[in-house]
Amino acid sequence: MYDLIGNLWLGMGVAATASNIMLCLIGVLVGTLIGVLPGIGSLATIAMLLPITFGLPPVGALIMLAGIYYGAQYGGSTTSILVNIPGESSSVVTCLDGHEMAKQGRAGPALAIAAIGSFFAGCVATVLVAALGAPLTSVALLFGPAEYFSLMSLGLIFAVVLAKGSVLKALTMILMGLLLSMIGSDLETGAERMTFGIPELSDGIGFVVVGMGVFGFGEILRNLEHTGTLEIVQSRISGLMPTLPDLKAAAGAIGRGTILGSCLGILPGGGAIIASFAAYTFEKRVSKHPERFGRGAIEGVAAPESANNAAAQTSFIPLLTLGIPPNPVMALMVGAMTIHGIVPGPQVMTKQPELFWGMIASMWIGNLMLVVINLPLVGVWVRLLRVPYRHLFPMIVIFCCIGIYSVNNAPFDVTMTAIFAVVGYWLVKHDFEPAPMILGFVLGPLMEENLRRAMLIARGDATVFVTRPISATLLAVAAVMLLLALLPTIRGKREEVFTE
Amino acid sequence: MSDVVPSGGWSRSPDDQRRYDLVSGLVIAVLGLILLAASFLTESPVPLTVRGAVVIFSAVGVAVAAGWLRPQNSQDFYGGMALILLSLTAFVASNELPGMRGIAFGPGTAPRLFAFALAVLSLVVVASGLMARGPHVTPFKVRGIVFILGAILVFAATIRTLGLVIASFACIVVCAAAAEDVRWRETVIWAAILTAFCALLFPYGLNLPFQLWPPFW
């Protein structure tokens, strides 16, 4: 406990310097700005803004990136409430009740409760990250290659189970990601693998290239299919503050949403999207008046918004302690850290405590900023939403192009992104979810390395994965999860959650 | 955004579907034959099983084109076929990489392991696409693909030779043509503004090494 306070104090010292506060503010603002725009997700946002952080010191860069991430998360809910189109996939459920509230002239309280819920969830999650960081890091020291491999398998299985749509197709997506990640030089022997003799491929395909192609450009291609104007709530937004009964009604929902979100965020493969869905469904189930949901119930805004923010933050835990990205956004964070010469994992906390704790403390500061700056800026966001899509997407395209080019100063990377844009669009057209593919792509090299090492240590004995207790447990959990997801009854429930 | 609109549609006339199957089947067959030809170009011989699988793959394409095989769920069937093609390509491409050396993994072990698993699972997807009825693939937006890809490729081709200003401007103008409601006068003005913004932000604001103008100027 004493350690916890001491560590957070150290973090505050780092995060509260003038320059870092500025970076956090810029990150949060820019993140919200882009999050508000419909049709560009947080992954593409971070990828697009990655070059902005190149010239910064590592701590500042990570603080800014984290700010962009939860800013984008928050901006997404603003769009959900005002236009009934989710700015982010994690705020899909917020549309249901949030937009309904806005139509009833209660956009102000809806936005406010989303902000308050997010802030509360952010505070709790920050403490949780700080509290769980140290013990989990010591767990990580017990992990050998076999355990790491099993843990990553578990993460991928989680991603499959929690993804929407067919479990089988999600599994194929993971394998596709793993396979694509094999392209490039072999880490141990240096052999060129599946490069087709193209020298630019010998370093492998960059994560930013795949992520931006599939999510950034791919999403634009999809959005161009259905053109139409957005219907923004026309009624004046008056009275930002929620009333006392509002707060009372939302308090329980915020608490439950926070707990649910925190738990789901830590799980590998989970993340903000599933957390918001789960919180909404749960809230509807425990409510005394479930019929109010979908007609502007304030709990229906409070619960998913708290949950997705909590999950967004706790998903840093596996990344910072075990070095394993639990979702695609965190995978991009790994990319960003690598550019700045930081290897994510347990050693970050022991060797660079100021980086670790500084980032955690900045999350709290960033959440506070979100509450303070966003409510007065609602008018600006509304005006931004009136910009037609034909002006928006050229902007996104050019920023993405420049962003990708500036990672390696390589035109080849830009060309590759075009290919992955088609791949992403094609996958969605055939109802394959690209998110598990990205996760597989990121975890691929790590998984192969640990698999090889584990096999070598065990002298080629593949049973090592089930004879070592921790590894066996992790694999057993993965197997059970997969079986449950394939069982018809659970599958029905799962679909129910996603269709609601 | 992607999560709100389910992809795929149910309505499509039998004629349209027939044409779609014909074209897609032919594409599958041709791609399979190209891969088969490529498998003879590798230095060490590709195993017979892989070549056999490629031949079967092409045969399925022919069968679909000829109408002997009717995919019930186009999304699953063609999606699975594409993934099978990917894994077969991986087998051919990783053919020369050494596999297991005693107890140690070679560089070729993991790619072939993953490719094999992908092929098996994709086969199940294809099978289910032949059996259970499901949604069709909705038409692709060709205009969007052409101009967005065009814009990206224009940028890639010109950034080194002509500098940031010309590359951005060209990219934005090409890209804007992807929208059906494009207005040219507006686009040119908007492109100029965005280009100016990028030319200031990236080299000056963020200190990234960008060449603004063509080097021969």
Side-chain angles (χ1 to χ4, degrees):
Chain A
M1 193 63 211
Y2 181 75
D3 274 356
L4 178 70
I5 296 169
N7 286 331
L8 280 177
W9 187 247
L10 168 74
M12 274 297 168
V14 177
T17 56
S19 67
N20 281 343
I21 285 186
M22 249 344 263
L23 290 173
C24 187
L25 180 68
I26 296 173
V28 164
L29 261 182
V30 178
T32 316
L33 184 89
I34 301 199
V36 166
L37 301 176
I40 178 153
S42 45
L43 191 85
T45 309
I46 298 183
M48 197 166 108
L49 299 174
L50 202 55
I52 300 184
T53 65
F54 284 173
L56 299 172
V59 184
L62 287 182
I63 285 178
M64 191 160 162
L65 283 171
I68 292 171
Y69 178 36
Y70 43 75
Q73 203 87 265
Y74 182 77
S77 51
T78 308
T79 318
S80 290
I81 292 169
L82 294 177
V83 234
N84 203 18
I85 284 182
E88 288 294 315
S89 41
S90 60
S91 45
V92 172
V93 275
T94 312
C95 285
L96 300 173
D97 281 286
H99 188 63
E100 217 40 57
M101 282 182 76
K103 275 204 243 160
Q104 295 161 11
R106 306 210 317 130
L111 288 166
I113 211 75
I116 294 166
S118 296
F119 178 65
F120 177 77
C123 292
V124 173
T126 304
V127 174
L128 207 62
V129 175
L132 282 180
L136 266 179
T137 308
S138 51
V139 169
L141 296 177
L142 297 175
F143 273 35
E147 282 78 15
Y148 267 112
F149 177 79
S150 303
L151 183 68
M152 284 182 261
S153 313
L154 177 65
L156 291 177
I157 296 296
F158 263 120
V160 167
V161 173
L162 300 179
K164 74 182 172 65
S166 149
V167 172
L168 182 67
K169 284 167 115 176
L171 277 174
T172 59
M173 281 297 93
I174 289 208
L175 285 164
M176 178 181 169
L178 290 173
L179 197 55
L180 288 176
S181 74
M182 296 291 110
I183 295 174
S185 306
D186 177 28
L187 281 179
E188 274 172 39
T189 60
E192 301 257 307
R193 301 202 286 190
M194 302 189 277
T195 55
F196 303 98
I198 302 169
E200 282 90 346
L201 276 180
S202 60
D203 270 348
I205 305 170
F207 175 74
V208 183
V209 168
V210 182
M212 193 97 86
V214 170
F215 285 96
F217 294 138
E219 219 153 66
I220 292 176
L221 288 175
R222 251 176 294 152
N223 291 340
L224 284 172
E225 276 189 7
H226 21 87
T227 40
T229 46
L230 307 175
E231 278 173 44
I232 307 169
V233 169
Q234 295 298 332
S235 57
R236 282 191 61 82
I237 299 161
S238 55
L240 268 176
M241 272 352 256
T243 58
L244 204 57
D246 279 347
L247 282 175
K248 253 189 205 153
I254 291 177
R256 285 186 289 269
T258 304
I259 296 170
L260 209 57
S262 306
C263 298
L264 285 170
I266 299 177
L267 295 180
I273 303 171
I274 182 74
S276 57
F277 275 102
Y280 187 82
T281 321
F282 183 72
E283 206 52 42
K284 201 169 165 183
R285 203 141 293 164
V286 299
S287 169
K288 286 192 193 96
H289 305 280
E291 71 281 355
R292 278 174 48 248
F293 281 78
R295 302 211 181 102
I298 199 157
E299 300 97 305
V301 179
E305 279 307 309
S306 328
N308 73 30
N309 209 39
Q313 294 218 22
T314 53
S315 58
F316 276 95
I317 294 178
L319 177 72
L320 291 173
T321 54
L322 303 173
I324 296 174
N327 59 45
V329 176
M330 288 300 121
L332 197 53
M333 283 295 209
V334 175
M337 288 180 161
T338 326
I339 287 171
H340 287 283
I342 307 158
V343 182
Q347 67 279 6
V348 172
M349 200 159 147
T350 43
K351 289 197 183 136
Q352 291 158 297
E354 71 293 339
L355 182 104
F356 183 90
W357 296 107
M359 189 162 157
I360 289 172
S362 86
M363 290 180 193
W364 187 80
I365 298 178
N367 274 295
L368 185 65
M369 286 180 186
L370 277 178
V371 176
V372 178
I373 60 175
N374 268 309
L375 293 178
L377 284 178
V378 168
V380 179
W381 306 143
V382 171
R383 226 167 301 154
L384 194 67
L385 282 168
R386 294 193 203 276
V387 178
Y389 194 63
R390 63 170 191 277
H391 288 166
L392 284 182
F393 75 84
M395 192 166 90
I396 300 171
V397 168
I398 189 64
F399 281 174
C400 285
C401 283
I402 296 179
I404 298 157
Y405 176 75
S406 60
V407 174
N408 289 326
N409 279 331
F412 180 78
D413 283 357
V414 184
T415 317
M416 282 298 284
T417 319
I419 297 172
F420 277 100
V422 182
V423 171
Y425 183 49
W426 192 90
L427 285 176
V428 171
K429 285 295 233 179
H430 290 78
D431 209 21
F432 285 87
E433 187 74 26
M437 193 265 275
I438 296 280
L439 202 54
F441 182 79
V442 172
L443 289 180
L446 273 174
M447 275 186 98
E448 192 202 4
E449 194 189 331
N450 282 298
L451 177 65
R452 277 166 113 163
R453 241 187 248 162
M455 293 290 279
L456 207 59
I457 294 170
R459 307 199 153 273
D461 180 13
T463 56
V464 62
F465 296 104
V466 286
T467 49
R468 298 191 47 136
I470 300 178
S471 162
T473 318
L474 292 169
L475 284 182
V477 174
V480 170
M481 291 294 295
L482 194 59
L483 279 178
L484 283 179
L486 288 167
L487 284 180
T489 46
I490 307 278
R491 200 155 66 187
K493 280 247 170 63
R494 196 167 144 259
E495 265 147 35
E496 190 185 309
V497 171
F498 281 109
T499 45
E500 249 175 286
Chain B
M1 181 118 185
S2 58
D3 300 76
V4 225
V5 200
S7 80
W10 290 86
S11 58
R12 177 177 268 191
S13 76
D15 276 356
D16 280 354
Q17 187 56 34
R18 194 63 213 90
R19 205 175 311 129
Y20 186 82
D21 287 342
L22 176 72
V23 174
S24 314
L26 286 177
V27 170
I28 290 173
V30 169
L31 289 176
L33 290 176
I34 293 175
L35 185 61
L36 189 66
S39 79
F40 286 97
L41 297 176
T42 53
E43 279 167 29
S44 47
V46 175
L48 216 56
T49 40
V50 175
R51 278 197 191 140
V54 178
V55 171
I56 297 173
F57 179 82
S58 295
V60 171
V62 172
V64 170
W68 302 325
L69 263 183
R70 289 271 164 88
Q72 299 297 307
N73 180 337
S74 311
Q75 288 187 334
D76 282 10
F77 180 79
Y78 293 114
M81 284 304 269
L83 292 176
I84 291 180
L85 182 69
L86 180 73
S87 55
L88 289 175
T89 313
F91 267 113
V92 174
S94 67
N95 189 54
E96 267 140 55
L97 297 170
M100 297 291 279
R101 286 165 303 182
I103 57 163
F105 271 37
T109 313
R112 282 195 284 269
L113 194 71
F114 294 141
F116 180 72
L118 178 62
V120 170
L121 288 181
S122 309
L123 210 57
V124 183
V125 176
V126 168
S128 76
L130 278 174
M131 266 137 23
R133 255 184 73 67
H136 298 300
V137 182
T138 48
F140 285 82
K141 195 92 178 173
V142 181
R143 182 181 180 136
I145 300 178
V146 169
F147 287 107
I148 297 282
L149 289 199
I152 302 170
L153 295 179
V154 162
F155 183 85
T158 52
I159 180 74
R160 272 279 169 84
T161 46
L162 298 178
L164 182 69
V165 173
I166 296 177
S168 311
F169 190 81
C171 173
I172 297 165
V173 171
V174 175
C175 173
E180 253 145 42
D181 51 350
V182 59
R183 293 172 201 171
W184 286 110
R185 189 185 302 244
E186 218 178 72
T187 299
V188 171
I189 297 169
W190 184 224
I193 297 172
L194 273 181
T195 305
F197 180 71
C198 291
L200 289 176
L201 177 70
F202 290 95
Y204 298 107
L206 300 171
N207 267 329
L208 294 173
F210 269 109
Q211 183 134 31
L212 276 182
W213 300 102
F216 45 81
W217 272 13

